[in-house]
Amino acid sequence: MDFHATEGWNRRELIRGTAMLGAGAMLMRPLPTLAADGPMAEIRKAAEAGKEASVQRLREWIALPSIAAENRNMPEGAAYMAELAKDAGFTNVEIVPTDGQPGVFGTIDVGAPRTLGIYFMYDVKQFDPAEWTSPPLEGKLVDKPGFGLSMVGRGAVNQKGPEATFLAALHAIRAVKAKLPVNIVLVCEGEEEIGSPHFRQIATRPNILAALRKCDGIFIPASWQDRNGNVAVNLGSKGVIELELVASGEKWGRGPKGDIHSSLKAMVDSPAWRLVAALNTLVTPDGNTPAIEGWFENVRPLTDREKSLIREAAKHLDEAQQKQMLGVQHWIDDLPYEDALIRLAQEPTVNIEGLVAGYTGPGGKTILPGRAVAKLDLRLVPDQTRAEAEKKLRAHLDKHGFSDVEMNVSGGYDPTETDENSRLIRAELATYKRLGVQANINARLAGSWPGATFTAPPVSIPAGHFGIGHGSGAHAPDEYYLIDSTNPKVAGIVDAAIGYAEFLYTLAAIR
């Protein structure tokens, strides 16, 4: 559904999802009913009754793609996020301006002794409809073998599906007029997919900072159960820098300022080859280890405890299944699985996201390009910082004679770390145990999110991920989120909503 086609509708009714979901797969309830009576049993009934509205709410959110990299639907995305928050019971909801795209903030204050922070993002990655087997904005329901009926769409799992499911939990709790066991602070941004360049402005705004500092912790909703139902409790995440390197005849003073005929290569320098030469200095010949001067000065190795956590988690993971899902046959250096997982957590990386120069259409076009661009992401580990890494990359390029190569940083943030003895992590582990879900403590997530904004001063609270359910294909074609599970070990949308509700009660009760 095109979002602009809904402008004549009542927005609140749209968000509530009044349309009905078509018949789908029979839900197999994989999780134990957590209480035979009391509020959780009633909350489950309300979540089941509200399932169709929850699914439609997600579908219509997917239909509005906010893409920061394209400056697409950003004001509309923030306004829609604000309405979703209000409809789920948040008050004092405000759209927060930044030097970039706006964020959203809201609270639910029930006078509870404890407060939980929730981080949302309303932006999604770019997409090319030609690469999808199902239209990326339709939210079509498709069967995924081994999991069940799933909604396909851009943002389905990253992050609108898990976020919509958390909202579904709040709707279910409100529907039975149960009092929330904790206060909730919601902070949301629209630039996560470009490295959160202005998110700190949101989190440190005086009223938002004051609210966040009252929180026992903050998490981003996640739906990462594998086929065996396992989840990870992450004690940190790598930091990231997103940037592009640009070589051009204009800046270099050699080569053409624009594209010229390729026959002239015999007497004219090539900016494209210059960029390739610069890139080759950034890594070892195999491309697997950063070679930037001083890059490892502040890299803190994993502790023995962290390595033991990874080895223990490996016992519950399926290496063959992971290779199949990733489409790979070997790990770097043909490492054994445990060692590959340790390397995944421990090593900083220099990755080429994309290379663009000259003509890339069908057939050939004999030109010598005047400009070449490489898009990179650099993953950082403790005790590296974004500021240090940017400075060292620039110094490296200059030292190797590439001072003309432009370095345009679009966003990024430092690594995140959270103490495994924090109340947030203990509540996660206790909730998973109560749900009957195998939880593996992960020393460090190889991916990145702006959790360092919360764990570092001035906010200084624990931050992590929590949730059950399943989805896959983030940043890729045919991204999906599980709605009706046919796998008895994996939660569908109703059970995932109950998982969030259970976490709220666990956090309120845990010592």
Side-chain angles (χ1 to χ4, degrees):
M1 180 183 67
D2 188 300
F3 173 73
H4 297 289
T6 71
E7 290 177 351
W9 292 23
N10 178 294
R11 183 67 56 84
R12 185 58 63 91
E13 289 304 314
L14 174 83
I15 291 172
R16 284 180 176 151
T18 54
M20 300 296 284
L21 171 70
M26 180 67 69
L27 175 66
M28 294 182 67
R29 188 169 298 162
L31 305 176
T33 299
L34 299 175
D37 51 23
M40 198 57 65
E42 294 303 312
I43 291 168
R44 173 176 287 280
K45 290 178 183 177
E48 290 171 343
K51 175 192 165 192
E52 291 174 349
S54 297
V55 172
Q56 188 65 11
R57 188 182 300 116
L58 173 57
R59 176 179 287 123
E60 289 169 351
W61 197 6
I62 286 172
L64 173 59
S66 297
I67 303 176
E70 299 175 350
N71 196 23
R72 179 177 177 183
N73 294 328
M74 299 312 297
E76 296 90 342
Y80 200 79
M81 180 69 249
E83 289 298 318
L84 285 169
K86 291 175 186 176
D87 202 53
F90 286 92
T91 58
N92 306 312
V93 175
E94 59 179 300
I95 295 175
V96 184
T98 72
D99 291 340
Q101 303 298 348
V104 176
F105 168 69
T107 60
I108 301 178
D109 187 348
V110 296
R114 289 182 179 163
T115 301
L116 172 68
I118 299 294
Y119 167 86
F120 274 19
M121 50 183 277
Y122 65 84
D123 64 318
V124 299
K125 272 293 186 187
Q126 307 94 308
F127 58 90
D128 179 356
E131 297 175 343
W132 292 60
T133 61
S134 179
L137 301 182
E138 285 190 7
K140 188 176 179 181
L141 294 175
V142 175
D143 184 60
K144 294 292 181 180
F147 291 104
L149 198 66
S150 303
M151 185 175 292
V152 176
R154 175 51 84 225
V157 71
N158 184 26
Q159 279 294 126
K160 292 179 177 178
E163 292 169 353
T165 305
F166 182 84
L167 295 178
L170 297 184
H171 279 279
I173 293 170
R174 292 182 76 200
V176 299
K177 296 181 171 56
K179 181 181 176 180
L180 275 171
V182 295
N183 311 310
I184 301 178
V185 173
L186 172 69
V187 60
C188 179
E189 68 165 318
E191 296 182 321
E192 198 281 337
E193 296 293 12
I194 59 170
S196 304
H198 302 102
F199 183 55
R200 186 176 175 84
Q201 294 178 15
I202 298 171
T204 57
R205 186 168 169 150
N207 65 319
I208 299 176
L209 176 60
L212 285 172
R213 293 180 73 172
K214 295 177 183 177
C215 295
D216 283 79
I218 188 167
F219 74 76
I220 177 173
S223 298
W224 295 340
Q225 281 189 290
D226 62 19
R227 288 180 189 270
N228 296 319
N230 298 334
V231 297
V233 173
N234 300 305
L235 302 181
S237 302
K238 289 184 179 181
V240 70
I241 303 173
E242 287 202 280
L243 61 96
E244 61 179 22
L245 298 181
V246 183
S248 66
E250 183 176 6
K251 290 285 185 180
W252 187 18
R254 306 183 66 85
K257 292 185 177 180
D259 296 351
I260 62 175
H261 197 280
S262 65
S263 65
L264 297 169
K265 179 65 195 77
M267 66 176 186
V268 178
D269 291 302
S270 167
W273 281 115
R274 181 156 182 80
L275 179 62
V276 170
L279 293 172
N280 278 334
T281 71
L282 302 183
V283 293
T284 52
D286 60 7
N288 292 333
T289 304
I292 300 165
E293 277 80 4
W295 200 249
F296 286 87
E297 286 177 346
N298 294 319
V299 169
R300 175 169 22 108
L302 292 173
T303 65
D304 289 342
R305 166 65 174 165
E306 289 169 330
K307 290 180 180 178
S308 69
L309 288 173
I310 293 171
R311 292 192 177 99
E312 180 62 29
K315 297 176 182 177
H316 303 281
L317 301 176
D318 188 327
E319 179 183 14
Q321 181 186 123
Q322 187 174 7
K323 282 183 174 179
Q324 181 182 19
M325 290 181 67
L326 294 174
V328 302
Q329 297 181 30
H330 303 275
W331 307 125
I332 282 176
D333 298 330
D334 291 316
L335 289 171
Y337 190 41
E338 284 187 11
D339 293 338
L341 290 173
I342 288 172
R343 193 183 197 285
L344 178 68
Q346 181 169 271
E347 297 300 312
T349 62
V350 174
N351 176 60
I352 298 175
E353 296 178 351
L355 286 169
V356 182
Y359 178 71
T360 59
K365 186 180 182 184
T366 49
I367 60 167
L368 192 167
R371 186 173 186 270
V373 179
K375 293 186 178 290
L376 307 181
D377 63 59
L378 316 177
R379 303 283 172 173
L380 311 176
V381 301
D383 293 316
Q384 291 180 295
T385 67
R386 171 187 170 176
E388 167 210 354
E390 288 181 19
K391 183 178 179 181
K392 287 180 175 177
L393 175 57
R394 182 69 267 172
H396 171 93
L397 290 169
D398 294 347
K399 178 180 177 180
H400 285 262
F402 296 102
S403 58
D404 57 286
V405 174
E406 298 173 71
M407 176 177 146
N408 302 320
V409 177
S410 60
Y413 35 80
D414 294 345
T416 302
E417 289 188 285
T418 291
D419 188 339
E420 67 176 298
N421 295 311
S422 66
R423 183 174 287 130
L424 179 76
I425 298 300
R426 289 187 292 110
E428 289 185 20
L429 291 169
T431 306
Y432 286 131
K433 183 177 181 179
R434 185 165 172 80
L435 293 169
V437 171
Q438 172 66 44
N440 305 310
I441 301 178
N442 183 24
R444 185 178 303 141
L445 181 68
S448 305
W449 73 295
T453 303
F454 306 116
T455 57
V459 182
S460 303
I461 60 174
H465 308 75
F466 177 81
I468 53 177
H470 172 79
S472 188
H475 298 192
D478 292 341
E479 177 182 357
Y480 70 89
Y481 180 71
L482 182 63
I483 302 298
D484 286 342
S485 178
T486 55
N487 182 330
K489 297 180 180 180
V490 181
I493 192 170
V494 170
D495 282 309
I498 295 304
Y500 289 123
E502 185 66 24
F503 178 85
L504 300 180
Y505 284 90
T506 302
L507 180 64
I510 199 167
R511 296 292 182 183

